[in-house]
């Protein structure tokens, strides 16, 4: 089956909840994107746990076995049109975007013209971006940030930095927009800053699910950000430890395989491991969806030299003041 969008089938009892899930990797020439589906399959399961019905969740991704498939920008616009069509006060909308790398400007433009300006007063949009430097996609005034000690601060502080999305709230009246993203925060080992960097795919999605599975679907914002930060550090520290294990000099020598269970909360399981070939892999399982032995770094690539793990921390921001005790998606 080729690339396209899919809408789950089934009866819907919660008409006020709707979600568009998009997973893409990088901007390619002629305004097209290459796509994957790892994160959105996990996000789809999580939203169903929050009461989003299958026919109110639309997934746009690459479901083809071919190596190259594209997701066009006009398909993204079509998906956004579906998301806002019929939206009314009190509705909860989710826009989830994963795996983007280099087309933040185009994404901002698409969201401004097709989504942000069309939100009805009284509706709530949850914009979830699972990609490096994704915290700047929406430039929202109030930021719930967390210290390196894991303590959340109030959602009332003005977000600093370059405002890359001027006028993003124009025309949306009294709609509430909550952005959940993650910011690149440096490297685990500052002494190795020039080393090649390995990032954990789907880091924000995994930490978001971990927080929900740890506290339940009525989790508060303050607890959400703390648990996301905690699990992000756990994942990154565990991967750093794996990368520090030396490989045998003889390329034909097998290594001792092993598996480390990194995260375990509710229905979520995340494991890192090393196979006998020396590849570092990751396994994720959540609510019947599983990705087993997904290679993060092959032995051949590892043997070239030392590697560094990029450190990303979650960030939550909103267009208006929200108490840290505010609940999400309810």
């Amino acid at each position: 089956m080729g690339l396209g969008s899919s809408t789950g089938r089934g009866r819907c009892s919660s008409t006020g909840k709707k979600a568009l899930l998009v997973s893409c990797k990088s901007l390619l020439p002629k305004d097209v994107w290459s796509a994957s589906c790892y994160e959105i399959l996990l996000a789809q399961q999580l939203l169903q746990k929050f009461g989003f019905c299958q026919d109110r969740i639309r997934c746009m991704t690459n479901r083809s076995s071919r190596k190259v498939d594209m997701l066009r920008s006009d398909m993204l616009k079509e998906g956004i049109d579906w998301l806002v069509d019929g939206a009314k006060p009190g509705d909860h909308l989710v826009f989830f975007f994963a795996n983007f790398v280099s087309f933040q400007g185009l994404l901002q433009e698409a969201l401004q013209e097709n989504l942000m300006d069309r939100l009805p007063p009284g509706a709530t949009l949850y914009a979830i971006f699972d990609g490096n430097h994704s915290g700047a996609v929406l430039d929202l005034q109030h930021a719930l940030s967390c210290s390196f000690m894991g303590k959340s601060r109030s959602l009332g502080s003005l977000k600093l930095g370059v405002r890359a999305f001027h006028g993003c709230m124009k025309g949306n009246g009294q709609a509430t927009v909550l952005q959940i993203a993650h910011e690149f925060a440096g490297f685990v080992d500052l002494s190795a800053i020039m080393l090649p960097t390995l990032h954990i795919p789907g880091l924000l999605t995994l930490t978001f699910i971990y927080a929900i599975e740890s506290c339940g679907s009525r989790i508060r914002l303050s607890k959400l950000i703390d648990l996301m930060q905690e699990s992000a550090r756990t994942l990154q520290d565990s991967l750093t430890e794996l990368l520090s294990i030396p490989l045998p000099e003889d390329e034909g020598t097998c290594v001792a395989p092993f598996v480390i269970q990194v995260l375990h909360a509710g229905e979520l399981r995340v494991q890192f491991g090393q196979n006998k070939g020396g590849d570092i892999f990751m396994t994720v399982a959540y609510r019947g969806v599983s990705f087993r032995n997904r290679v993060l770094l092959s032995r051949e690539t590892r043997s070239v030299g030392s590697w560094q793990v990029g450190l990303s921390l979650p960030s939550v921001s909103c267009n208006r003041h929200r108490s840290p005790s505010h609940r999400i998606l309810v």
Side-chain angles (χ1 to χ4, degrees), residues 58 67 100 190 192 229 243 262 270 281 286 289 296 311:
R58 174 167 290 189
K67 292 184 178 181
F100 63 93
L190 293 178
Q229 181 187 34
L243 290 174
V262 184
V270 180
F281 65 85
Y286 182 60
V289 174
L296 298 178
L311 177 59

Side-chain angles (χ1 to χ4, degrees), residues 24-324:
C24 303
K25 276 195 172 180
S26 59
L27 178 66
L28 296 177
K30 299 182 181 179
D31 196 24
V32 293
W33 293 296
S34 62
S36 65
C37 64
Y38 160 69
E39 296 86 352
I40 68 168
L41 294 179
L42 297 176
Q44 184 178 30
Q45 294 299 316
L46 177 65
L47 290 174
Q48 289 177 3
K49 193 167 187 173
F50 269 104
F52 285 70
C53 295
Q54 290 186 13
D55 60 353
R56 306 282 289 181
I57 301 174
R58 174 167 290 189
C59 299
M60 301 183 68
T61 187
N62 177 1
R63 297 182 182 274
S64 171
S65 59
R66 292 178 297 172
K67 292 184 178 181
V68 179
D69 269 318
M70 307 300 174
L71 179 62
R72 301 184 307 275
S73 57
D74 61 327
M75 295 177 65
L76 177 61
K77 180 181 182 302
E78 178 185 349
I80 293 176
D81 289 342
W82 171 86
L83 179 65
V84 298
D85 182 39
K88 57 186 182 299
D91 283 0
H92 290 264
L93 308 178
V94 173
F95 179 80
F96 177 92
F97 206 104
N99 276 353
F100 63 93
V101 174
S102 58
F103 54 90
Q104 181 172 300
L106 288 178
L107 180 60
Q108 290 171 340
E109 182 179 352
L111 292 178
Q112 171 67 51
E113 295 179 357
N114 303 303
L115 179 58
M116 305 296 290
D117 291 343
R118 298 167 61 189
L119 294 173
T124 300
L125 171 68
Y126 296 89
I128 305 173
F129 301 105
D130 191 345
N132 295 330
H133 308 283
S134 58
V137 175
L138 301 183
D139 184 33
L140 306 180
Q141 283 186 315
H142 300 283
L144 176 65
S145 57
C146 40
S147 69
F148 276 51
M149 297 303 293
K151 295 182 179 180
S152 298
R153 297 196 294 270
S154 171
L155 210 72
S157 59
L158 182 65
K159 186 174 182 180
L160 302 177
V162 178
R163 295 186 174 274
F165 202 15
H166 292 289
C168 69
M169 301 312 302
K170 181 181 178 181
N172 76 338
Q174 298 178 358
T176 298
V177 180
L178 187 74
Q179 176 180 238
I180 302 174
H182 62 183
E183 302 278 7
F184 180 66
F187 300 93
V188 174
D189 183 2
L190 293 178
S191 65
I193 194 171
M194 299 304 294
L195 295 178
T197 305
L198 177 63
H199 296 281
I200 300 170
L203 176 65
L204 182 126
T205 304
L206 294 175
T207 59
F208 188 70
I209 292 175
Y210 174 82
I212 301 299
E213 289 294 316
S214 297
C215 288
S217 59
R218 296 183 66 81
I219 188 172
R220 299 178 187 273
L221 278 173
S222 57
K223 194 63 175 178
L224 174 74
I225 196 72
D226 285 343
L227 286 174
M228 288 181 69
Q229 181 187 34
E230 171 189 309
S231 54
R233 289 189 175 278
T234 298
L235 286 166
Q236 292 160 339
D237 289 347
S238 298
L239 186 55
T240 298
E241 183 178 351
L242 273 178
L243 290 174
S244 67
I245 299 175
L247 289 170
E249 294 184 4
D250 186 357
E251 295 184 2
T253 303
C254 293
V255 299
F258 60 87
V259 174
I260 302 173
Q261 182 155 281
V262 184
L263 296 181
H264 178 190
E267 299 179 77
L268 176 68
R269 305 289 186 276
V270 180
Q271 298 175 336
F272 288 141
Q274 177 178 269
N275 59 28
K276 64 180 181 180
D279 304 325
I280 290 179
F281 65 85
M282 179 174 70
T283 293
V284 177
Y286 182 60
R287 304 193 75 208
V289 174
S290 63
F291 299 87
R292 299 185 179 277
N293 302 335
R294 175 173 175 165
V295 175
L296 298 178
L297 197 64
S298 67
R299 175 173 179 164
E300 181 181 3
T301 306
R302 286 179 67 189
S303 63
V304 173
S306 300
W307 279 76
Q308 172 77 298
V309 178
L311 177 59
S312 297
L313 294 176
S315 65
V316 177
S317 56
C318 192
N319 64 319
R320 60 187 63 207
H321 176 80
R322 278 294 178 268
S323 166

